[in-house]
Amino acid sequence: MKLIYKIKYILLIGIAIQCVSCSKDFLEETTYGEVDPSEIVKPENIERAIISAYSVLNGQFDSASNAYNSPDSNWSFGDVVSDDCYKGGGGTGDQNNIHQMEIYATNPTIIDVERKWSALYEGVKRSNEAIRLLNASKDFDATLKTKRLAELSFLRGHYYFELKKIYNRIPYIDETAETVADYARSNTEFTSDELWAKIEGNFQTAYDGLPDTQEELGRPTKIAAKAYLAKCYLFQKKWQNVIDATNEVMSSNYGLMGDFEQLFLPENDNNKEIIFAVQHSVDDGQPNNYNGSIGDRLTAPGGPFYSQYGFHRPSQNLINAFKTSSAGLPLNENTDILSNDFVDPRLDITVGRPNIPYKDLGILYEESWARDLATYGPYGPKKRIVSANSSYFVTTWPYVNALNYYIIRYAEVILWKAEAEMELGNLENARALVNQIRQRAIDSEKTKNLDGTADAANYNIATYNETWTDPEAARAAVYLETRLELAMEGHRFFNLVRWGIAKDVIDDYLLVEKTKRSHLTNAVFTEGKNEYWPIPQRYIDGVPEGTVTQNNNYN
């Protein structure tokens, strides 16, 4: 069964759990309850502490309902600030903090900057404290202890990976931290390479101690740790290491699911393609369904079946990226799709388009579903929206669902290896790997019209059948395939940054989009600044002066 998150807060009196957050009380202790010191190291209480470390994965770490400011899916941090999506909602004043992010006017006091930092360091803290408990316990089963320590190293590695890719220069704190002062650490104590080495160390420890399989779905496996190591290598451009690690993952029992759309149905969670995921659940007794997709609750697309929060809206640029030639290959020309144009079939699984059936609801998506149509255009999210007919969707506030968020899926591993092969000059190897992704799209069921008698659009997709000889063309093909396959999953901006093309891509995007979307009029991407988010001001104010160095150009 799934590892369901049952525990939100545990006070460990004997070793003083401290409230680690980005707010002004970053270093203040918050008491949630009391446990006698002699009870703390009992195996059952240690297990609860471990579950508590898992529970922050979905971005919900307090009794508020605004995990949409710290979403596990990174829809605002990875999509809205890229060329894939607009903020959406009821105009620029609705969640204006995210609007400021979208136009690259982010500052250190924005709530999303603070809450994302808070959620991730809460995960670090809980992982650290559970490790300390395990190391202090004399009664915990020795074999299980090795596995649980490996799980906690994996979780801590994940939280730090997210912190590194979002904030870049971060404090690194491990389980040796015992007091409040131990958490007041400099964010420049370690170089970037040293931070990556520490993050890799967490996943290597996890790999060494994790089993091949887990009885409870949601706990990481040995291959999940190896896959995360591959992702660390990818971000550092360690191409041969990427190939070696992905080879091991691809030799395991993981693989592509047969149908692209079926991959994103909650009843198919934890299928063979999902290497590690945040486990979401609803109607499990947790108040306000906070174990569900609480960070995505604003993405409901409107219409007759959903709340009209209307956030996470696909951009015209993203829609156009799915346009194909008569040969079924990407055109990549950013011209608006017309009704008779050829398109990649993943388009209508990924986004809601007018006059195309939406899910299994027996209805066409209409542009009237889109909240503030004049500002954000007619398109809506679809890939990670759960059908209103599904028992995995909650039809009342807070309108969440039980579709897991996929942190790493097998298709990504294929694309990572394709990228590494391309960078090492093995262009034909890269082509074969990209074709695996495209072949799955070819073999998948296409979106049908309402009566099911024909395809809903002119779907046309093919594999690359001609030899790749031009390195730049190969690079463009790998990058574009990565975009199409992972669209609306929170990865796009981070890929642009690690590819070193964020400035060029976003400038080109804004040049055209500003003629269509007035809310982007003042958007300006500043190279050397907007690749990362600022260190939260409340954290800076909460530690001794001079401890923290703000990220470049945010002073």
Side-chain angles (χ1 to χ4, degrees):
M1 65 176 183
K2 284 186 180 182
L3 176 66
I4 302 300
Y5 307 137
K6 304 182 180 74
I7 300 175
K8 300 306 292 181
Y9 294 99
I10 297 176
L11 178 67
L12 307 174
I13 294 293
I15 53 178
I17 276 189
Q18 306 301 336
C19 179
V20 180
S21 73
C22 65
S23 63
K24 193 171 182 180
D25 60 354
F26 184 95
L27 300 175
E28 294 176 5
E29 181 177 347
T30 302
T31 300
Y32 298 103
E34 293 187 1
V35 180
D36 186 271
S38 64
E39 297 290 314
I40 293 172
V41 292
K42 286 187 174 182
E44 61 269 26
N45 288 330
I46 295 176
E47 289 284 16
R48 293 187 181 103
I50 294 168
I51 292 173
S52 183
Y54 276 96
S55 73
V56 196
L57 283 171
N58 74 347
Q60 181 66 26
F61 63 98
D62 57 18
S63 58
S65 63
N66 56 341
Y68 49 76
N69 297 122
S70 53
D72 55 352
S73 67
N74 284 326
W75 66 266
S76 48
F77 289 84
D79 289 341
V80 169
V81 297
S82 77
D83 51 348
D84 273 8
C85 288
Y86 314 129
K87 172 184 72 71
T92 59
D94 190 1
Q95 289 292 310
N96 181 259
N97 39 302
I98 303 177
H99 172 68
Q100 296 303 312
M101 292 164 60
E102 184 176 14
I103 64 172
Y104 310 105
T106 307
N107 68 69
T109 66
I110 282 179
I111 187 172
D112 306 78
V113 171
E114 297 176 351
R115 281 192 66 87
K116 189 67 173 179
W117 177 281
S118 252
L120 293 171
Y121 271 111
E122 181 70 17
V124 168
K125 179 204 69 177
R126 295 189 191 190
S127 300
N128 283 341
E129 296 296 353
I131 290 172
R132 285 172 55 79
L133 278 177
L134 274 168
N135 287 333
S137 176
K138 297 179 181 179
D139 299 325
F140 207 90
D141 178 80
T143 301
L144 184 58
K145 179 178 180 179
T146 297
K147 183 166 71 170
R148 293 291 188 254
L149 284 170
E151 290 176 27
L152 291 164
S153 291
F154 183 98
L155 292 175
R156 187 170 63 184
H158 164 74
Y159 294 128
Y160 274 125
F161 183 93
E162 290 288 290
L163 284 160
K164 182 75 173 74
K165 78 179 187 185
I166 294 171
Y167 301 97
N168 192 29
R169 298 191 295 185
I170 57 172
Y172 188 90
I173 304 139
D174 63 18
E175 72 275 13
T176 61
E178 297 185 49
T179 67
V180 174
D182 291 334
Y183 280 96
R185 299 283 284 273
S186 169
N187 67 328
T188 57
E189 179 181 359
F190 301 105
T191 66
S192 182
D193 287 346
E194 288 170 336
L195 284 171
W196 278 120
K198 287 182 174 294
I199 296 169
E200 287 177 21
N202 279 283
F203 291 119
Q204 187 60 54
T205 297
Y207 176 82
D208 293 340
L210 284 170
D212 293 329
T213 60
Q214 293 268 24
E215 291 183 7
E216 292 181 296
L217 297 172
R219 297 187 189 271
T221 62
K222 182 180 289 291
I223 290 299
K226 181 61 71 171
Y228 229 136
L229 273 169
K231 193 170 186 179
C232 290
Y233 300 144
L234 186 81
F235 271 67
Q236 299 171 81
K237 304 183 187 301
K238 296 180 177 179
W239 303 122
Q240 189 56 55
N241 287 4
V242 172
I243 290 174
D244 293 343
T246 54
N247 280 343
E248 183 171 347
V249 176
M250 294 171 71
S251 297
S252 70
N253 291 327
Y254 292 98
L256 289 176
M257 190 173 180
D259 187 273
F260 187 68
E261 183 175 22
Q262 293 289 316
L263 175 63
F264 299 98
L265 298 180
E267 53 265 39
N268 295 330
D269 274 345
N270 300 308
N271 63 74
K272 69 176 183 177
E273 184 162 341
I274 308 310
I275 295 174
F276 188 69
V278 180
Q279 304 291 307
H280 291 156
S281 62
V282 296
D283 298 327
D284 60 357
Q286 175 68 26
N288 300 311
N289 278 302
Y290 281 171
N291 288 335
S293 59
I294 191 71
D296 291 347
R297 74 180 185 85
L298 296 185
T299 65
F305 293 97
Y306 300 95
S307 172
Q308 199 177 45
Y309 285 128
F311 286 75
H312 198 199
R313 299 271 289 281
S315 70
Q316 185 66 55
N317 186 285
L318 176 63
I319 304 298
N320 296 343
F322 285 92
K323 191 173 180 179
T324 62
S325 69
S326 58
L329 296 177
L331 284 174
N332 201 21
E333 60 184 17
N334 195 24
T335 56
D336 290 0
I337 289 176
L338 303 176
S339 60
N340 61 339
D341 284 337
F342 293 119
V343 295
D344 186 316
R346 288 172 292 185
L347 170 62
D348 290 326
I349 296 168
T350 302
V351 305
R353 288 198 300 155
N355 302 315
I356 301 293
Y358 197 85
K359 299 291 183 179
D360 62 351
L361 301 177
I363 191 171
L364 298 178
Y365 179 92
E366 298 180 14
E367 67 176 23
S368 62
W369 291 24
R371 187 180 179 195
D372 199 348
L373 175 65
T375 300
Y376 297 112
Y379 308 111
K382 190 177 184 182
K383 177 190 278 186
R384 299 197 68 258
I385 301 296
V386 171
S387 169
N389 289 335
S390 172
S391 61
Y392 295 93
F393 174 74
V394 177
T395 58
T396 57
W397 189 92
Y399 309 107
V400 296
N401 63 67
L403 176 63
N404 290 351
Y405 176 65
Y406 308 149
I407 293 176
I408 298 177
R409 58 184 179 92
Y410 189 82
E412 291 179 79
V413 175
I414 293 175
L415 290 165
W416 297 343
K417 186 180 179 185
E419 185 177 338
E421 294 281 16
M422 176 269 296
E423 292 292 350
L424 291 177
N426 305 319
L427 304 189
E428 281 298 273
N429 290 349
R431 180 172 72 94
L433 289 159
V434 167
N435 278 344
Q436 288 187 41
I437 302 298
R438 296 185 67 79
Q439 188 63 52
R440 194 260 294 273
I442 293 168
D443 295 339
S444 295
E445 289 293 321
K446 311 302 186 289
T447 303
K448 299 295 184 181
N449 58 16
L450 282 182
D451 62 15
T453 59
D455 289 348
N458 290 330
Y459 302 124
N460 191 22
I461 182 172
T463 56
Y464 290 94
N465 293 323
E466 295 190 7
T467 302
W468 283 4
T469 57
D470 181 347
E472 288 307 312
R475 178 175 287 108
V478 172
Y479 287 1
L480 181 56
E481 197 63 32
T482 298
R483 183 188 193 187
L484 299 176
E485 176 70 16
L486 303 179
M488 305 293 286
E489 294 182 55
H491 300 298
R492 175 64 172 171
F493 181 74
F494 304 112
N495 283 333
L496 293 177
V497 170
R498 70 177 182 81
W499 289 334
I501 60 174
K503 171 68 173 173
D504 291 341
V505 169
I506 291 171
D507 281 356
D508 288 347
Y509 162 72
L510 291 175
L511 184 66
V512 175
E513 292 289 319
K514 283 182 179 182
T515 68
K516 302 173 180 179
R517 302 286 176 252
S518 61
H519 75 282
L520 295 173
T521 298
N522 296 321
V524 178
F525 185 92
T526 301
E527 191 171 20
K529 174 184 179 180
N530 292 124
E531 291 88 350
Y532 299 101
W533 276 257
I535 307 302
Q537 191 60 45
R538 288 190 180 183
Y539 173 60
I540 295 174
D541 293 343
V543 299
E545 185 175 356
T547 300
V548 175
T549 301
Q550 183 55 274
N551 281 336
N552 295 338
N553 299 310
Y554 283 107
N555 291 320

